Amino acid sequence: MPLVPTTYDPPFPFKNGHIATIYAGIVRKVNGLEQHRERITLPDGDFLDLDWSHASVKTLGVVILLHGLEGNAQRPYITGSAKRFVAAGFDVCAVNHRSCSGETNRLFRSYHSGATEDLDAVVNHVLHTKPYPQIYIKGFSLGGNMALKYLGEGLRVPEQVKAVVAVSAPCSLHSSLLELLKPKNFLYAKRFRRHLIEKLRAKQQLFPELISDADIKNVITLKDFDDIYTSRAHGFKDAIDYYTQCSSLQFLSGIQIPTLIINAINDSFLGPECYPVREAENHGKLYLEMPKYGGHVGFYAPKNTTYTEKRALKFLQESI
């Protein structure tokens, strides 16, 4: 499929990727959305908290929202998306990844970019408890990579799953990591590290025999965290093995339903391999849109919305 032309042209200063990223992540506020929490039990005995929002009219289907690294279902990019989908007649199921709902999960493992078994569990829960004829998925950053991997890795994707949108998706996790380790991303990486260390200390309280003080002290970079915890807790050899196995890039050819990736050119988190141009050009269902601007999960637009909120809604409506 040819690359999708973009119309996104934000006002100054939101042409600056860092301003777009920081505004969306820290400054933007979304009010007026009701969320109702449901806790589900996963096959391995752990739990996930789902935050539901419901349309006031007959629903057109449900949109499952997946947040990014150290996010949750109350982040503005999730609530903003949910609010727009609900207004258009969709119910929304916003997933809090394991340990991201305000309570540490039960097991030593947690969440990661390739944990498609959790997404599969959510999809099957929705299918077995709600009469939705159409299910859609929208993932951001880590959640975008997860959604793309889920579609293409060979799992049996239910026929009710009709379309997917991935925003700021690090299709190559290693390529993205290399960008995050650069000086331009020092403040972002420092913030991620602080949150991850807090999670690791909470996990240490539950599993003191598996996480030592030395382990925590040795987490200097995000790669260190993946070497010391992510790989160990989820069955990978090391961080590089995790990135290799869980990057969605290798699975894109297996996607069989309409899928839109929106990755901004000025996204400082994404390396060159995160823009799957060749894969999209040789695919009948995969659409790649690369706006010049937008930052990472930014895409500012007037009236407290974002370009990707409007674009995702249009894409899903066209697939009905």
Side-chain angles (χ1 to χ4, degrees), residues 140-162:
F140 299 85
S141 194
L142 176 150
N145 181 79
M146 182 187 295
L148 296 171
K149 179 175 179 281
Y150 169 74
L151 291 185
E153 69 182 341
L155 291 174
R156 183 188 173 277
V157 178
E159 63 181 11
Q160 291 89 342
V161 179
K162 301 298 185 183

Side-chain angles (χ1 to χ4, degrees), residues 109-175:
R109 67 154 294 172
S110 184
Y111 73 101
H112 63 83
S113 296
T116 50
E117 65 275 14
D118 287 358
L119 175 54
D120 187 54
V122 172
V123 170
N124 284 305
H125 170 75
V126 171
L127 282 174
H128 290 131
T129 59
K130 314 283 184 181
Y132 291 112
Q134 288 96 225
I135 296 175
Y136 306 93
I137 303 170
K138 183 181 182 184
F140 299 85
S141 194
L142 176 150
N145 181 79
M146 182 187 295
L148 296 171
K149 179 175 179 281
Y150 169 74
L151 291 185
E153 69 182 341
L155 291 174
R156 183 188 173 277
V157 178
E159 63 181 11
Q160 291 89 342
V161 179
K162 301 298 185 183
V164 168
V165 176
V167 177
S168 302
C171 300
S172 169
L173 298 176
H174 190 220
S175 182

Side-chain angles (χ1 to χ4, degrees), residues 36-287:
H36 306 281
R37 179 157 292 185
E38 176 188 21
R39 175 164 292 188
I40 66 172
T41 300
L42 296 169
D44 61 10
D46 213 342
F47 68 89
L48 280 182
D49 286 330
L50 313 178
D51 289 330
W52 286 86
S53 300
H54 296 281
S56 59
V57 296
K58 184 177 179 180
T59 181
L60 299 172
V62 61
V63 183
I64 296 172
L65 299 179
L66 304 171
H67 64 76
L69 181 66
E70 285 306 282
N72 56 51
Q74 284 67 54
R75 295 299 298 273
Y77 61 85
I78 294 290
T79 54
S81 290
K83 189 172 182 179
R84 191 164 189 89
F85 282 129
V86 165
F90 294 89
D91 288 350
V92 169
C93 173
V95 178
N96 295 278
H97 299 313
R98 301 191 199 211
S99 81
C100 292
S101 63
E103 182 178 339
T104 304
N105 65 304
R106 297 175 184 136
L107 304 183
F108 180 58
R109 67 154 294 172
S110 184
Y111 73 101
H112 63 83
S113 296
T116 50
E117 65 275 14
D118 287 358
L119 175 54
D120 187 54
V122 172
V123 170
N124 284 305
H125 170 75
V126 171
L127 282 174
H128 290 131
T129 59
K130 314 283 184 181
Y132 291 112
Q134 288 96 225
I135 296 175
Y136 306 93
I137 303 170
K138 183 181 182 184
F140 299 85
S141 194
L142 176 150
N145 181 79
M146 182 187 295
L148 296 171
K149 179 175 179 281
Y150 169 74
L151 291 185
E153 69 182 341
L155 291 174
R156 183 188 173 277
V157 178
E159 63 181 11
Q160 291 89 342
V161 179
K162 301 298 185 183
V164 168
V165 176
V167 177
S168 302
C171 300
S172 169
L173 298 176
H174 190 220
S175 182
S176 178
L177 171 85
L178 294 177
E179 291 300 310
L180 281 167
L181 294 180
K182 292 180 178 179
K184 65 179 180 179
N185 287 316
F186 172 77
L187 293 178
Y188 305 119
K190 182 179 179 181
R191 190 166 186 259
F192 282 136
R193 178 187 177 276
R194 184 176 72 252
H195 288 298
L196 291 168
I197 289 293
E198 289 174 359
K199 291 279 183 72
L200 201 55
R201 291 193 185 282
K203 191 69 69 175
Q204 185 188 37
Q205 296 299 311
L206 297 175
F207 302 95
E209 74 282 7
L210 297 177
I211 303 172
S212 67
D213 290 337
D215 287 334
I216 295 175
K217 184 178 180 180
N218 287 332
V219 177
I220 307 301
T221 70
L222 296 179
K223 181 179 181 295
D224 295 332
F225 179 84
D226 291 331
D227 273 320
I228 290 169
Y229 174 72
T230 307
S231 58
R232 187 191 308 172
H234 301 97
F236 304 106
K237 295 177 184 177
D238 53 25
I240 297 300
D241 183 47
Y242 159 52
Y243 305 145
T244 300
Q245 290 198 47
C246 292
S247 293
S248 62
L249 184 64
Q250 63 197 306
F251 300 111
L252 297 181
S253 62
I255 291 176
Q256 299 181 25
I257 64 173
T259 300
L260 173 64
I261 301 173
I262 308 175
N263 282 357
I265 296 298
N266 71 344
D267 186 334
S268 67
F269 291 22
L270 302 183
E273 294 178 16
C274 295
Y275 300 89
V277 173
R278 178 174 53 83
E279 288 78 5
E281 288 177 334
N282 296 314
H283 201 296
K285 298 290 186 179
L286 181 64
Y287 301 81

